Amino acid sequence: MTFYFIFADEERNTKKAKNRVRLFKSDHCLGYPVSIFFIVVNEFCERFSYYGMKAVLVLYFKYFIGWDNDLSTTIYHTFVALCYLTPILGAIIADSWLGKFKTIVYLSIVYTIGQVIMAISAIHDITDTNRDGTPDNMTFHTAMSMLGLILIALGTGGIKPCVAAFGGDQFEEHQEKQRSTFFSIFYLSINAGSLLSTLITPILRAQECGIYSKQSCFPLAFGVPAALMVVALIVFIAGHNMYIMESPKGNILLQVMKCIGFAIRNRFNHRSKQHPKREHWMDWAEEKYDKLLIAQVKMVLKVLFLYIPLPMFWALFDQQGSRWTLQATTMDGNFGAFIIQPDQMQIVNPILIVIMVPIMDSAVYPLIKKCGLNFTPLRRMTVGMLLASLAFVAAALLQIQIDRTVPNFPSSSQTQVKFLNLENTPVPVVVEGQEPFVVPGFNVSSHNGTSNSIKQFLKELLFYTDLISDVSFPRASFTIENEEGQTCHYILQLGFGSSYTVLIPNTFTFGESCTENIKAIQDINPNDIHMAWQVIQYFLMTCGEVVFSVTGLDFSYSQAPSNMKSVLQAGWLLTVAVGNIIVLIVAEAGSLPEQWAEYVLFACLLVAVSIIFAVMAYFYTYMDPAEIEAKFMELEPDDKKRKELEMMTKDNLAYVNNETSNNTDVKQTKI
């Protein structure tokens, strides 16, 4: 026994010595290892890549792939859910097999390939064989985008639990202050990447690009994040020689799951009344696992139980990138000298985060404390959930105002374009994203203005209006052609809730200046509800995020055992995934006819969940994990001695039985 403990100490000291040698070989700057520079830059580029792609994703589904709002929302939240499910897989791979460095490198390669595939999937010219501006094989683009999103979810989720922990590994035990500063800088890089990408990629998406026809430049909006991911991978690999890399130590998450599984099986096998009850169902694992591990698992399960209501908050929070972005497409984004794109409104959240976090920490919380109020972490989280529900009430009220200003068109569309052809001959028209059709000719002089001919023409015009009424916002591309194959491309800028009549005069001629003869008359002005009204709901949601998410992370860390911080982190990320699954279930059900009603439904659900969480928090007793662990560590040597004595006794009994058995049994035992 003495030899064992001396050997363990020597092994631990040797490991520390190796770490010090490797750290000494690396460069330092102001007491910080230079290696963290590569990690911070990598995180900035990766977050830029993720949030940049995510900012325009729902609009890509709607305006390029051609899905409706519900399906676009469903696929968007399915993707986000996958991004928060795969961290568990990444943690297992890193801790049990490859280590953090190799896991980050390999999954970043997968991540980069996914981003490149997404950029390729958005190039409409790839399958536009007839060069009419519409992809001829939308199945190809859809399949490519789904493959890209799966790879991105695997990559971004897989490296999520590894990068920050890998950065912390670069510091020695005496560098606690530097390590704390590093995590602050690391968090700042995340917000900086999110802020810049949410601002830039919508601008790139709003550009027009293409070989045969000019359309919204989704390839550029996806291509720049792909390029940033390439930079992130190169920068991270470049610091290879400076990193301190620890070997995989075994995954504590798997150990926890095995311990829980054994307790459940053992309890089930001893379910008869003859077996005495135990204080906690996890105590049924004592036959195989140490009391210290069992106590740590109990602490984790106690916190995980509180996590059960939390997914509903994320169900509302992550709709900023789906439902709220789609809501912004129905509003006026004119801010005087510049125009805000609908997907750029998401930038309000990171801006408010940067402003409000220090305000809450330095002003609001101290003021509440001075007022004598015990604003505990769980109470803060409850308030955060209620603020998020208020944000959706604000979104519902705004949606009601939008719906009031949208005219009732003959079809279900919210933007109309009508063609009036004053030539005698019909004119074939190709609308971007729709099947070609023919606009009948109508010459007033030839019909002599008879009521029957006018009624017949208006009937035909209404029919063709229904065909082309659901055009893509914020622009539509029309191609007029004649029997000789001559074409004229006309682009019309649209506004939500507007109606236009495109006039083709009897003097129309094909050629370079053909569009000068075409006149677009705006029958109904676009919706004038301004995007600035969304700031109210973004403000409420960000307030909820600050007091819920930031507090929740701190609470989880403080209540977690020393060696199970990653387990609770995985549980926290899992609540985000489940929240997005809730959204896609509601969106797919699609039972509510009005969008404002769906907003109210989510708000009511979160209020109900907040009440349940408040009750659970009331009965929760705060723990000191270090104190609990210390108590069990004092008893640990005695437990080990007792178990070793039991094992020695069993071995002696087995030896006696073998000696008294026949030779065949002895041979079988030796074999």
Side-chain angles (χ1 to χ4, degrees), residues 644-655:
E644 288 173 0
L645 181 61
E646 291 176 354
M647 292 176 64
M648 291 174 63
T649 304
K650 291 180 180 178
D651 290 341
N652 291 334
L653 290 173
Y655 175 76

Side-chain angles (χ1 to χ4, degrees), residues 425-467:
T425 58
V427 175
V429 176
V430 177
V431 182
E432 178 184 315
Q434 301 189 33
E435 294 295 327
F437 58 93
V438 177
V439 178
F442 179 76
N443 191 306
V444 178
S445 59
S446 63
H447 286 83
N448 296 322
T450 61
S451 60
N452 289 334
S453 61
I454 293 176
K455 287 180 180 180
Q456 178 62 27
F457 169 74
L458 291 177
K459 182 178 179 181
E460 294 174 349
L461 180 62
L462 180 61
F463 172 73
Y464 290 107
T465 299
D466 288 338
L467 283 179

Side-chain angles (χ1 to χ4, degrees), residues 131-197:
R131 303 185 180 183
D132 63 350
T134 304
D136 299 323
N137 186 3
M138 190 56 72
T139 303
F140 168 81
H141 295 276
T142 304
M144 288 285 288
S145 61
M146 293 302 101
L147 175 61
L149 290 177
I150 291 173
L151 295 178
I152 292 171
L154 179 62
T156 187
I159 68 176
K160 192 183 293 292
C162 301
V163 179
F166 186 70
D169 292 343
Q170 308 308 306
F171 296 87
E172 278 283 329
E173 293 181 0
H174 65 274
Q175 294 180 302
E176 293 181 0
K177 183 178 180 180
Q178 290 89 338
R179 185 188 294 114
S180 177
T181 304
F182 160 74
F183 283 118
S184 298
I185 297 173
F186 186 83
Y187 185 75
L188 180 62
S189 69
I190 294 175
N191 284 276
S194 169
L195 185 65
L196 290 177
S197 63

